[in-house]
Amino acid sequence: RQRGALLPSLLLLLHAWWGSCHPQCLDYKPPFGPRQPLAFCKEYSKFGCCDLKKDGEISVKFDTIMENFDYSGYITCGKYIRSILCQECSPYAAHLYDAEDANTPMRILPGLCGDYCSEYWQHCRYTLSLLLEDLGSPPQFANLTAGIEEDRRKFCDFLELKDKQYCYPNVLSNEELNANLGVVSEDPTGCLELCLEEVANGLRNPVAMIHADDGTHRFFVAEQVGYVWVYLANGSRIDRPFLNLTRAVLTSPWSGDERGFLCIALHPRFSTVKKAYVYYSVSVKKEERIRISEFTLSTYDENQLDHSSERTILEVVEPASNHNGGQLLFGHDGYLYIFIGDGGRAGDPFGKFGNSQNKSALLGKVLRIDVDNNDDGAPYSIPSDNPFLRENEARPEVYAYGVRNMWRCSIDRGDPITGQGRGRMFCGDVGQNKYEEVDLIVKGGNYGWRAKEGFSCYDRKLCQNSSLDDILPIFAYAHKLGKSVTGGYIYRGCQMPNLNGLYIFGDFMSGRLMSLKENVTTGEWQYSEICMGRDRTCRFPKLINSYYKYIISFAEDESGELYFLATGVPSATARAGIIYKIVDPSRRAPPGKCSVKPSPVKIKGKLIHFHPKEEKLWLVEKQENTREGNKIFKIPRGQDRGPFKRRGGRRLKLGSVRLVSPNGLSDRGRVEIFILGQWGTVCDDLFTIKAGTVVCRQLGFTRALVVRKRAVLGKADSNVRILLDDVECEGGEKSLLECKRARIGKHNCSHSEDVGVICDVSFSPDIFFL
């Protein structure tokens, strides 16, 4: 009778989801190329889900099982045992174990094809109990196998994956699945499919994000209104601004106003030369100007500049309110580069040839200055090799000219192995009526404006001048693709090896993400559009496949990973800005290769922890339901704050959990979470063992042993609110609130789907579901 009761559970446990799949490992991350060849599961040495350590663990499991066999049995059954165990290393491990969709139970053993299962049953059916015992399953599972080992149909119902394309071993020979395995996936039009991770939100037109290159892995985010904020490596933000220039900055709430705080750059030796440089719009006696200023770091707080230390480096009068430029960066030569627009209006109408072609004007230029050793003298000096230093009437600061309104430039770190490309300077230059362009900036270069726009003539008379000698863009695109280029970066990070050497940029107006890849033989750049991966492609923890349209800027963190800054409302006062990390779901770096240990940061003030956009985790919860409107949850008058305290008067923390058991057992029960001043339940949709482990660790246990769905461990009363649904965790979060999930109180389930957890103080790496 016990066997009969367990069989349906076991069949459910091993039942595979029928549908399309994508490469994914059992840790819910993309596969990788191991740093060292595997010794046991050798077929996955080039690409899969195991490193040498995991391969060794599987080898030990195999040896333990095979100790039960004589030589003949070893020869007959060893190949089956090895193949089954090695499927943890398959790049399609998540599909073989039915772990792609966290809403379905994960299999204990990989799904086999029907013919292979029959062959396994015919020759080695009695090894099944050994595999289950080795996987740490309860003893009754081993007993149960005796009831199915004699029946081939039951045996293969237990092991077979009905999807004939993706079962083992067919998945190895499927040409379509394996043709482009491990490369960036493309849609039918050739668009590169990438995903995103949201890392910050609630920003007012975030115009720049930089890092200090000091080992702390902090990043600094500037808002157009004049604030600069410090974010720590864990994603939390310091509540005190790094810089507050809101009283000085000239901007407005108008949609598309180009004035404001536009950029910040830290000295390349910021840990010792504690200086920062900023680029912003000001009004001086009703005259609009660009101001470049220097600040020094506070002696009392390493996360704040000394606001009294401002020193003006350079001011340039702006004849119009647009085309303000707005880029500062330090080159590998240690000099500060300043990118200034042509002065505004349309067509650079200033003077005979316009500002951009006039080397005696600073507008429409790339400037290069030396800001080192300036404490006791002039705010800057001129590098001795600036190209026009000895040209009469030319400004010595000019490094390159003929630019219209360069918006976002970057320096190539160079290939991490060969160093190729190191020091190259890329810029997006916003066009006039027809074309946007991407340029490589070189010393003394003339980039053609206003004679040319992209590759085409704009001012035909200037364009035909034989002395123009302009440098053509590496890429230009017509306004049917977008009308305002946002320059990006060459990817040189560690986590996404497929993207190495890819220049990723975008367009502010169209919201289009784009890329260029250099052919090093011909020097030509090949264009590919970037689109968001379809739902299953981005079905990894914390990843999303949509973003706000207005792409303001791109950024690179200290490790070289890439981000872009966008907003849903292009106004300097709207808190609609979000920072997205760019993620390739096709391949990751091997485990451990990209690990960083940020240097400690001394914090003064409070930390504001990050939560995904539009989440309200306090006493105000935004409701999208139009009938309910905005609900405010308050403590009823006359009551004490009892719901917020444990016995003994200790305040309950937001996100606290408890297990409610009818038997009063502390290690198991229905999961309830404390939010909005009340306890509520959690739906079982997408809830996996990793989410269960987050719950158990909060309660002092080491892990979750079992996740029970469909209210098996208890159904809450109707007056208990359902607070969380679609919870997807990685396992390391401190609370379910840190996991990917639906908004608080938003769900499509009932209490018959209350999730329960059984915790265990012991630890086993092999965990299963019931």
Side-chain angles (χ1 to χ4, degrees), residues 353-581:
F353 306 113
N355 284 323
S356 294
Q357 291 297 320
N358 178 7
K359 286 178 279 187
S360 66
L362 294 180
L363 294 166
K365 307 294 187 299
V366 180
L367 312 181
R368 182 173 73 156
I369 61 175
D370 186 351
V371 292
D372 281 346
N373 305 311
N374 65 349
D375 292 340
D376 300 321
Y380 67 89
S381 60
I382 305 299
S384 59
D385 63 339
N386 265 15
F388 306 109
L389 183 61
R390 294 168 182 83
E391 184 175 311
N392 291 335
E393 299 183 0
R395 290 292 297 261
E397 296 93 342
V398 175
Y399 182 79
Y401 66 106
V403 305
R404 183 176 180 273
N405 190 35
M406 287 191 161
W407 183 250
R408 293 308 169 242
C409 304
S410 63
I411 303 290
D412 186 359
R413 294 186 178 207
D415 185 273
I417 298 175
T418 66
Q420 183 177 355
R422 176 176 165 80
R424 293 184 298 182
M425 189 180 297
F426 292 82
C427 286
D429 198 4
V430 179
Q432 181 68 51
N433 299 323
K434 294 182 178 180
Y435 299 101
E436 307 297 305
E437 67 184 70
V438 177
D439 296 303
L440 266 175
I441 305 302
V442 297
K443 182 167 68 174
N446 178 2
Y447 289 86
W449 177 250
R450 74 182 184 195
K452 286 185 177 179
E453 179 186 12
F455 294 102
S456 301
C457 289
Y458 178 81
D459 182 323
R460 197 160 296 277
K461 184 177 180 180
L462 285 178
C463 188
Q464 294 171 351
N465 190 323
S466 59
S467 65
L468 184 64
D469 192 24
D470 61 315
I471 296 174
L472 295 176
I474 62 169
F475 180 71
Y477 61 91
H479 278 186
K480 65 180 181 180
L481 290 182
K483 297 182 179 180
S484 183
V485 66
T486 301
Y489 282 79
I490 291 267
Y491 179 82
R492 299 299 189 186
C494 174
Q495 296 175 12
M496 267 68 74
N498 278 338
L499 303 186
N500 182 40
L502 197 67
Y503 179 73
I504 297 177
F505 64 108
D507 189 277
F508 175 80
M509 293 301 294
S510 69
R512 196 180 300 269
L513 286 169
M514 299 172 273
S515 72
L516 298 173
K517 183 75 172 181
E518 184 183 20
N519 182 323
V520 294
T521 303
T522 65
E524 296 179 351
W525 293 80
Q526 180 180 352
Y527 170 81
S528 294
E529 189 170 339
I530 293 174
C531 51
M532 292 295 95
R534 290 154 288 187
D535 286 345
R536 188 153 293 280
T537 304
C538 296
R539 194 64 182 267
F540 294 97
K542 296 186 178 181
L543 296 194
I544 56 177
N545 60 354
S546 62
Y547 59 92
Y548 281 161
K549 171 186 175 181
Y550 299 102
I551 301 171
I552 300 174
S553 190
F554 285 79
E556 184 182 56
D557 69 16
E558 193 166 342
S559 299
E561 303 306 321
L562 290 195
Y563 304 76
F564 69 91
L565 291 63
T567 184
V569 182
S571 164
T573 57
R575 293 184 180 273
I578 293 181
I579 300 177
Y580 302 97
K581 181 179 180 180

Side-chain angles (χ1 to χ4, degrees), residues 22 98 173 176 189 239 242 303 333 566 593 724:
H22 64 286
D98 196 22
S173 57
E176 183 180 349
T189 67
D239 67 341
F242 184 67
N303 294 297
D333 53 14
K593 181 179 180 181
L724 292 185

Side-chain angles (χ1 to χ4, degrees), residues 633-652:
F633 297 89
K634 299 179 180 179
I635 304 168
R637 291 191 181 188
Q639 289 188 12
D640 61 16
R641 301 186 66 88
F644 290 83
K645 294 186 179 181
R646 297 183 189 273
R647 275 180 269 177
R650 186 173 144 214
R651 186 182 295 271
L652 276 170

Side-chain angles (χ1 to χ4, degrees), residues 117-137:
C117 182
S118 296
E119 182 184 315
Y120 174 39
W121 177 83
Q122 183 177 357
H123 296 291
C124 297
R125 70 190 77 165
Y126 300 112
T127 63
L128 182 59
S129 60
L130 296 173
L131 280 168
L132 293 175
E133 287 174 0
D134 182 67
L135 288 168
S137 302

Side-chain angles (χ1 to χ4, degrees), residues 118-360:
S118 296
E119 182 184 315
Y120 174 39
W121 177 83
Q122 183 177 357
H123 296 291
C124 297
R125 70 190 77 165
Y126 300 112
T127 63
L128 182 59
S129 60
L130 296 173
L131 280 168
L132 293 175
E133 287 174 0
D134 182 67
L135 288 168
S137 302
Q140 61 263 41
F141 276 19
N143 296 334
L144 175 63
T145 57
I148 62 175
E149 285 172 343
E150 298 299 333
D151 187 323
R152 188 198 62 78
R153 182 183 61 79
K154 290 183 179 179
F155 186 88
C156 286
D157 279 345
F158 182 72
L159 291 175
E160 189 177 347
L161 183 64
K162 301 300 182 183
D163 192 334
K164 294 183 179 180
Q165 274 193 309
Y166 302 112
C167 57
Y168 178 82
N170 290 0
V171 71
L172 296 178
S173 57
N174 188 312
E175 292 184 6
E176 183 180 349
L177 283 178
N178 293 283
N180 297 305
L181 194 61
V183 302
V184 178
S185 59
E186 299 180 5
D187 73 2
T189 67
C191 189
L192 305 181
E193 293 190 313
L194 299 179
C195 306
L196 304 173
E197 179 183 349
E198 183 185 336
V199 298
N201 55 36
L203 293 159
R204 290 159 293 197
N205 270 13
V207 293
M209 168 181 158
I210 60 171
H211 63 86
D213 198 24
D214 60 357
T216 64
H217 292 266
R218 293 174 292 175
F219 56 91
F220 304 77
V221 177
E223 295 178 311
Q224 188 177 353
V225 290
Y227 285 109
V228 181
W229 302 100
V230 179
Y231 288 80
L232 302 185
N234 64 6
S236 58
R237 174 171 70 84
I238 298 174
D239 67 341
R240 299 178 181 180
F242 184 67
L243 180 63
N244 177 2
L245 285 181
T246 53
R247 291 186 177 182
V249 167
L250 174 64
T251 189
S252 75
W254 306 335
S255 179
D257 191 344
E258 298 178 25
R259 302 166 303 173
F261 189 102
L262 300 179
C263 202
I264 180 171
L266 302 182
H267 194 281
R269 300 188 305 279
F270 183 66
S271 56
T272 54
V273 183
K274 303 176 186 296
K275 292 182 179 182
Y277 298 85
V278 299
Y279 187 129
Y280 64 98
S281 305
V282 293
S283 177
V284 180
K285 297 180 180 179
K286 297 183 180 181
E287 183 179 65
E288 293 188 14
R289 300 181 184 181
I290 291 166
R291 177 178 291 167
I292 314 298
S293 286
E294 176 187 85
F295 287 85
T296 57
L297 191 66
S298 168
T299 56
Y300 305 103
D301 188 348
E302 62 182 283
N303 294 297
Q304 198 167 66
L305 293 176
D306 180 352
H307 288 62
S308 66
S309 67
E310 181 174 13
R311 181 187 192 190
T312 299
I313 298 291
L314 182 68
E315 281 190 357
V316 181
V317 174
E318 276 282 359
S321 62
N322 61 337
H323 299 190
N324 299 285
Q327 180 71 53
L328 292 177
L329 56 80
F330 281 91
H332 286 172
D333 53 14
Y335 297 132
L336 179 64
Y337 290 77
I338 305 169
F339 300 77
I340 300 180
D342 66 5
R345 298 180 190 163
D348 192 7
F350 306 100
K352 186 177 180 180
F353 306 113
N355 284 323
S356 294
Q357 291 297 320
N358 178 7
K359 286 178 279 187
S360 66

